[in-house]
Each structure stands twice: as structure tokens, then as C-alpha cells.
Amino acid sequence: MARGFVESFSGRFRDELLNETLFSTLGEARQQIRSWQDDYNHLRPHSGLGSMTPAEFVAMKGLEMRAAQPQKSTRGFSEWLEERRVSGQHSRTVFDAQAHGMALRVIGSLVTDPQMRRTVGITEAELRALEQDGVLQPRTRLPGARLRWLEADGQALVDELNALAHANPGTAKWETVQKAQANSKVSVGRIIAAIRARQIRVHALPGNTSYHGIKVCRNEFGAIE
């Protein structure tokens, strides 16, 4: 059983960090490994531990041992855990629970970059541009974290743009947001803001479910260039 746990941990460590990261110095490697370790132990629930993080599981076992002693408090683990979450305290001072509160609330729903791209129908360049301009924000910025995105955020953006889209393209020139950005040098964030302000029209086919399926009217870029 112990060997199975070790093999599972080693596989995740290799797949999520070692195979994904190119270390340039020993110091960088140590920093990235520490960040991954904190994420693994203090942020990520484990199904084998009853959907608790390893840190919470260890703390629970400590409480159970103390509760078995008559002179110690028998306060329940759920009350203790809720108190920790509300107060933002943690047994490891290096972890700021308040700063990562959003990630703690949605950690079980986070997905990787490739999963986010497939769900939203978006290319790697499009996702990177949306993140750089603050249109889509990852739910965690821990160095080396692979599970960063909430799919609902991307779906909400697509739904919003679809709601503003015209079904009839007419004879205007239409381009994807990314292509329009490359041709005009207007940032993706500025294009999305102009769409929301109804300064430029957008077009999408009925039933569109992807960001890449959203087209903007290039003829109207004079107002924002």
C-alpha cells in the first residue's frame, strides 16, 4: 500500500512539474519545487484523504490523538477546520490562505490550460492574449501550478459575446479577435472593451459555443485605432 502511494506521488511530481518545467539554476529548481510542494500539501484536496488536503488530514489526526486523552479538548475537527478557514490561519506560515482564498473555494473545479482551451474553443495564443490583457484571469498564480482555470469563466465570456453578436454578417469584413488584433495592433483587451461598449459589431453563427467562433467587424476599427 505504501509503495502505491509513493508511486502515485512520484508520478504526479514528474508529470506536473519535472516534465513541464525547464530549470535554469539550482535555486530556481528549489523554488519551483517548494511552490509545487505547498500547492500539493496545502491547496489540493485528495480523494484518498476524504477530499482533504494532506495538511488538513495531518491536523485532523493530531486532533483525534489529543481528543483520545481525557485531559485534552474534544472539539470536533469540522469546527476547528471552519475556524481556520474563516480566520485564514494555517499551520504553515508560508501559506497565505487569504491571498489564495478564491483558489481554495474552487480548487476542485480548476482545469489545465489545454482543458480550458478545449472547453472554450480557443487557441493557445488566444488564451494567452486574454490572460495578458486581464480579460480572463486564472484562479491561482502559484508558480508551477497546472490547474489554473475555471471553465465557467471562459464559458461566461463566450456567452456574453454571443449575446452581443449579430447573426447576419452582411458584406462587412469579419475577423477573429486574435487576427484583428494582429492586423490592427489594437490589444485584445481594448477590442473586447469596444465590443462591450458596442463600438464595434460582432458576428457568430447560431449555436456558436467557442471563442474562436466570434468574429469582429474590421470595418469599424477606425473608432478604436
Side-chain angles (χ1 to χ4, degrees):
M1 180 66 71
R3 180 177 179 180
F5 285 130
V6 171
E7 290 177 349
S8 175
F9 172 83
S10 298
R12 290 191 179 187
F13 182 62
R14 180 181 60 252
D15 294 341
E16 296 180 8
L17 182 65
L18 299 182
N19 290 350
E20 297 287 332
T21 308
L22 181 64
F23 305 116
S24 57
T25 65
L26 179 59
E28 180 186 358
R30 287 171 174 165
Q31 189 273 330
Q32 293 277 19
I33 291 172
R34 280 195 298 268
S35 296
W36 185 89
Q37 183 181 34
D38 282 338
D39 178 72
Y40 185 90
N41 287 331
H42 302 287
L43 282 178
R44 189 184 311 181
H46 295 251
S47 59
L49 301 179
S51 296
M52 288 185 288
T53 67
E56 290 171 344
F57 183 79
V58 169
M60 180 191 70
K61 289 300 180 183
L63 281 177
E64 289 177 349
M65 293 175 63
R66 288 194 293 272
Q69 302 175 16
Q71 70 275 19
K72 299 295 183 180
S73 170
T74 58
R75 180 175 56 147
F77 174 68
S78 59
E79 290 84 356
W80 173 84
L81 179 58
E82 181 62 24
E83 179 181 311
R84 288 171 70 241
R85 285 176 173 164
V86 170
S87 66
Q89 295 176 347
H90 200 282
S91 60
R92 287 281 300 276
T93 57
V94 297
F95 175 69
D96 188 339
Q98 292 181 338
H100 300 290
M102 181 62 71
L104 284 170
R105 289 191 290 273
V106 301
I107 189 69
S109 303
L110 297 183
V111 298
T112 63
D113 287 36
Q115 288 174 298
M116 182 67 163
R117 296 199 301 268
R118 286 193 295 270
T119 298
V120 185
I122 191 171
T123 67
E124 182 177 0
E126 287 171 336
L127 181 59
R128 184 167 58 250
L130 289 170
E131 179 181 1
Q132 288 175 347
D133 287 1
V135 179
L136 280 180
Q137 295 283 354
R139 292 306 184 102
T140 178
R141 295 189 180 277
L142 283 173
R146 295 178 67 249
L147 303 174
R148 306 192 306 136
W149 298 99
L150 191 62
E151 291 174 307
D153 292 341
Q155 291 167 341
L157 176 63
V158 173
D159 290 343
E160 177 189 7
L161 297 178
N162 276 329
L164 295 171
H166 297 261
N168 184 4
T171 59
K173 181 180 180 180
W174 302 91
E175 296 177 343
T176 65
V177 175
Q178 194 68 18
K179 185 175 181 180
Q181 184 277 325
N183 291 336
S184 67
K185 305 307 179 184
V186 178
S187 70
V188 169
R190 179 71 182 92
I191 294 173
I192 298 298
I195 293 172
R196 289 168 170 163
R198 300 181 186 274
Q199 292 178 291
I200 55 177
R201 290 178 296 159
V202 291
H203 163 65
L205 295 174
N208 173 62
T209 60
S210 72
Y211 175 82
H212 196 71
I214 299 292
K215 305 294 193 297
V216 294
C217 183
R218 279 287 285 116
N219 306 79
E220 300 172 350
F221 266 53
I224 63 173
E225 287 180 316

